[in-house]
Amino acid sequence: MKEFNIALAGNPNVGKSTIFNALTGLKQHTGNWTGKTVEHCTGYYIYNDNRYTITDLPGTYSLSSFSREETVTRDSLVNGDFDCVLIVLDSCALKRNLKLTLQVLSLYDRAVICLNLFDEAKRSGLIIDHKKISESLGVPVVVSTATKKRGLTELKTACERVCCAEYNCTKTELVRKYSPFEDDSEIIKRIFEECVSSSGVNIVQKRTEMLDRMLTSKSTGIPIMLLMCAVLFWITAVGANYPSAWLSSIFEIIKEWLNYWAITLHFPSFVSGILIDGVYTTLSWVVAVMLPPMAIFFPLFSLIEDAGYLPRIAFNLDRFFAKCGAHGKQSLCMMMGIGCNACGVTGCRIIETKRERIISVLTNNFMPCNGRLPILIAVLMMYFAGEAFGFTASVKVALFLVLILVLCVLVTLLVSKLLSLTLVKGESSGFILELPPYRKPLILKTVGRSFLDRTVFVLGRAAIVAAPAGAVIWLCANVYAGDASLLKHCTDFLDPFGRFLGLDGVIIMAFILGFPANETVIPIILMSYTASGAMTDYSGYEQLFSVLSQNGWTATTAVCMIIMTVMHFPCSTTCLTIKKETGSRKWTFLAMAIPTVSGIILCAVTSHIMNIFI
């Protein structure tokens, strides 16, 4: 068996990842480039008894700029030992893609060109002569529609012919004339005019222009975005209730079974307590509370992403971030942060300059992640949605969540502006924002991929940190000093500070102990109020409301609880991610301090104002 190495190159949003996944299946590995924080994937496939290892290079528009992605791609092509470069092009945007194609061919003559999204090009009224493109560039050209797995066999065959030297790739006159560092737009124009014609019927473009008039308009773009967020939150809030209750019931039955066997096998009470009431209860709560909303939110978010709407959100928000000295791509990182702040921080890699990337990292935690949504939903449902916890209440909760999201965006913009004027000074940079055509998402494939890549991944990471946290929480509640537990001593000590913020010591301690996983905050509060020594679940909002009201909760407490839920230090997973991405303890500390100080100030001001008027 012979082994060959293939580099996969192309512009962003051309279907490069789809082709990579289709060729390699599950035979993939993800890591970081040496000395970089740019993520890369490698994988392999077997074809005609030969093994082909593919390295997915970062998507880039050019090799002549100096962003991290472009530097990595250029250095890999110059220094890498590849037998072939597979260049993926968007058939609907061929003229723009040809610039990178010619740059790559000027460095590497052993290449295969894949004209992806060929079916969309036809619907757009484009007639592409791929054989003539092959003659003009001197390399094989294959048409494909990767989402439908069309053209993959032909693509493998073309790569095999190039790798095995069965196809003689030669630099044509046009390629030899092209210079990667000069404006040779005439060469690109000549290739395009010779190889591409139009039938005059462009259905895709007309549809895109019609939708963009609504979704990117200054008058309707923001309202539609907020309405879509409201629908997304409503579906998440309503849909998560029932599976959460089912999972809680199942885990409670398992807990009773575990307790039965612990007694039967004469486990020491200390051991059974720390393992069952501590570790198991924490894990079960994290799964029961996190899994349903994530299993709903992430797939819906992925469907919106695949439909091509996220770049429109970035377009709508770009001018606001530009005025604050931040980068327009920060809005995309914010959207990722709604699902998981750790993912949002990782997503900041797409921002080219270090200064603007740091601003995005430091402010990402202002977006309420999936672990904090259950707390917000519970508090809103009990104190602001009315007495009946039905359809009307869920609509109110969704609207309140949108208002909270707007507040989070405003705070993000304000803090970004302050950072750009103080700690992270410098000039703002512009960026190229591609608005891809709207596409019909592949629902089953997108939902399945989102569940595995996002939901299961984030849940597993949260469970890893939640298990030891459960043991620590149980020890704090069951180890006594004098006549009170360590937890009681801590909550009493923090109570004056908590009262000053419109909260109490129990809530402050719950946030501190909830550092590994925000999902444990409410169970810790219940455990402290009921002095049960184990984290307590609640069977419904009525029961939870009763416990909280008996312990002095008011509307002021609820409002301050919402503020502190949104504005406090990131969870442990996010903090570790920030340290990894920035390589700095300073920025990690500031990422924890900035939202926490903001929350403390806002809680103190809000509670004192509400106490005056209520």
Side-chain angles (χ1 to χ4, degrees):
M1 177 185 289
K2 294 182 180 180
E3 295 190 6
F4 300 100
N5 292 317
I6 299 175
L8 187 61
N11 287 182
N13 301 314
V14 296
K16 189 160 60 73
S17 297
T18 305
I19 288 178
F20 176 79
N21 292 331
L23 289 175
T24 62
L26 299 177
K27 306 176 186 69
Q28 302 172 6
H29 170 73
T30 303
N32 286 333
W33 298 95
T34 304
K36 305 282 184 179
T37 55
V38 178
E39 191 175 82
H40 77 284
C41 287
T42 58
Y44 72 90
Y45 68 89
I46 306 296
Y47 185 66
N48 288 343
D49 296 327
N50 292 326
R51 177 186 170 113
Y52 298 85
T53 299
I54 301 181
T55 301
D56 188 5
L57 302 178
T60 177
Y61 293 101
S62 171
L63 299 181
S64 56
S65 298
F66 297 97
S67 70
R68 290 182 300 168
E69 288 81 2
E70 290 160 344
T71 301
V72 165
T73 300
R74 183 177 61 247
D75 291 348
S76 298
L77 291 174
V78 172
N79 303 319
D81 185 20
F82 295 112
D83 299 290
C84 174
V85 179
L86 176 55
I87 310 171
V88 182
L89 282 65
D90 181 352
S91 300
C92 301
L94 194 57
K95 184 182 288 187
R96 185 186 67 236
N97 288 188
L98 280 173
K99 178 180 180 179
L100 177 67
T101 303
L102 288 169
Q103 288 179 343
V104 173
L105 291 178
S106 68
L107 298 174
Y108 245 86
D109 55 0
R110 299 188 307 276
V112 173
I113 292 177
C114 173
L115 294 180
N116 194 32
L117 304 170
F118 202 71
D119 58 339
E120 284 193 13
K122 285 185 177 180
R123 290 199 298 269
S124 299
L126 296 177
I127 302 173
I128 303 174
D129 189 341
H130 65 280
K131 293 182 180 179
K132 201 161 189 177
I133 295 177
S134 177
E135 293 173 2
S136 299
L137 299 179
V139 295
V141 176
V142 178
V143 300
S144 76
T145 303
T147 54
K148 298 178 181 177
K149 299 188 182 300
R150 294 175 183 168
L152 295 181
T153 302
E154 292 83 354
L155 201 57
K156 292 178 180 179
T157 301
C159 289
E160 179 185 50
R161 293 184 65 198
V162 171
C163 289
C164 296
E166 295 176 5
Y167 187 101
N168 184 23
C169 296
T170 56
K171 287 190 177 181
T172 63
E173 181 183 357
L174 287 175
V175 176
R176 286 196 299 268
K177 284 183 177 181
Y178 187 82
S179 171
F181 306 104
E182 295 180 8
D183 182 14
D184 286 337
S185 55
E186 286 300 319
I187 295 178
I188 295 175
K189 182 179 179 182
R190 177 181 166 182
I191 296 173
F192 185 80
E193 289 179 349
E194 289 179 354
C195 304
V196 181
S197 59
S198 175
S199 65
V201 181
N202 195 333
I203 301 174
V204 175
Q205 184 178 352
K206 288 182 179 180
R207 181 185 63 190
T208 299
E209 290 175 352
M210 180 188 69
L211 290 173
D212 279 345
R213 279 194 292 270
M214 295 186 297
L215 298 180
T216 62
S217 166
K218 289 185 177 181
S219 57
T220 60
I222 299 295
I224 291 176
M225 179 186 73
L226 295 176
L227 178 61
M228 186 168 294
C229 288
V231 173
L232 187 62
F233 286 137
W234 176 76
I235 294 173
T236 302
V238 173
N241 287 335
Y242 299 106
S244 284
W246 297 334
L247 286 172
S248 295
S249 300
I250 293 171
F251 287 133
E252 190 61 33
I253 293 172
I254 296 174
K255 184 177 180 179
E256 292 176 1
W257 181 80
L258 291 174
N259 282 322
Y260 168 79
W261 282 106
I263 294 172
T264 302
L265 298 175
H266 304 290
F267 273 34
S269 59
F270 178 83
V271 175
S272 62
I274 197 170
L275 292 179
I276 298 175
D277 294 330
V279 175
Y280 172 80
T281 302
T282 305
L283 282 174
S284 63
W285 176 262
V286 168
V287 173
V289 173
M290 277 192 75
L291 181 57
M294 279 199 305
I296 296 172
F297 181 86
F298 279 147
L300 290 176
F301 187 82
S302 296
L303 289 173
I304 294 173
E305 181 180 7
D306 287 359
Y309 182 57
L310 282 191
R312 272 78 184 177
I313 294 178
F315 176 83
N316 291 332
L317 296 177
D318 175 51
R319 62 183 183 274
F320 301 110
F321 282 97
K323 292 179 180 178
C324 295
H327 199 285
K329 289 183 181 178
Q330 186 172 337
S331 58
L332 294 174
C333 304
M334 269 183 7
M335 294 298 292
M336 294 173 67
I338 295 177
C340 173
N341 292 131
C343 294
V345 170
T346 303
C348 295
R349 297 173 181 179
I350 65 176
I351 300 176
E352 288 81 3
T353 66
K354 181 179 179 180
R355 170 189 166 274
E356 292 166 327
R357 190 163 58 249
I358 290 296
I359 292 176
S360 183
V361 168
L362 295 180
T363 57
N364 193 269
N365 192 64
F366 284 114
M367 303 309 294
C369 68
N370 203 75
R372 288 180 276 178
L373 281 178
I375 303 174
L376 296 174
I377 291 172
V379 175
L380 290 171
M381 192 70 79
M382 290 182 294
Y383 285 90
F384 303 101
E387 295 182 359
F389 304 117
F391 175 80
T392 304
S394 63
V395 172
K396 290 181 180 179
V397 167
L399 294 177
F400 275 119
L401 284 173
V402 171
L403 292 177
I404 292 172
L405 185 62
V406 171
L407 172 65
C408 293
V409 173
L410 293 176
V411 172
T412 299
L413 292 171
L414 175 61
V415 175
S416 297
K417 182 66 175 179
L418 293 175
L419 288 171
S420 67
L421 295 175
T422 54
L423 297 175
V424 200
K425 293 181 180 180
E427 294 292 328
S428 300
S429 63
F431 77 103
I432 299 173
L433 177 63
E434 181 181 1
L435 296 181
Y438 296 95
R439 297 187 177 101
K440 183 180 178 181
L442 301 174
I443 297 177
L444 293 179
K445 183 177 179 180
T446 300
V447 169
R449 188 190 72 233
S450 175
F451 184 79
L452 291 175
D453 293 349
R454 294 182 175 181
T455 304
V456 174
F457 174 74
V458 174
L459 182 65
R461 189 168 53 188
I464 290 173
V465 297
V472 172
I473 294 168
W474 185 88
L475 287 172
C476 289
N478 290 274
V479 174
Y480 279 71
D483 59 348
S485 66
L486 294 178
L487 181 61
K488 184 69 167 64
H489 283 298
C490 291
T491 56
D492 289 346
F493 174 77
L494 293 172
D495 197 62
F497 177 66
R499 300 289 177 184
F500 176 75
L501 301 182
L503 305 169
D504 61 26
V506 167
I507 300 173
I508 300 297
M509 192 62 191
F511 278 113
I512 294 174
L513 292 177
F515 173 63
N518 287 295
E519 297 76 23
T520 60
V521 169
I522 287 184
I524 294 171
I525 290 174
L526 288 175
M527 178 179 68
S528 301
Y529 284 151
T530 58
S532 62
M535 285 198 296
T536 308
D537 194 357
Y538 57 92
S539 58
Y541 292 125
E542 295 89 346
Q543 178 188 349
L544 179 59
F545 180 76
S546 176
V547 173
L548 298 180
S549 298
Q550 290 172 10
N551 285 273
W553 276 51
T554 63
T556 300
T557 313
V559 171
C560 293
M561 179 69 181
I562 290 172
I563 294 172
M564 189 55 68
T565 298
V566 173
M567 298 182 191
H568 72 279
F569 44 81
C571 69
S572 59
T573 303
T574 304
C575 289
L576 291 173
T577 304
I578 294 172
K579 175 61 171 64
K580 178 183 177 183
E581 293 295 314
T582 63
S584 168
R585 294 181 181 178
K586 168 190 170 183
W587 296 127
T588 305
F589 171 77
L590 285 173
M592 297 177 68
I594 290 172
T596 305
V597 172
S598 302
I600 289 173
I601 293 173
L602 193 54
C603 276
V605 172
T606 302
S607 65
H608 284 74
I609 292 176
M610 291 187 69
N611 288 334
I612 293 173
F613 293 100
I614 297 179

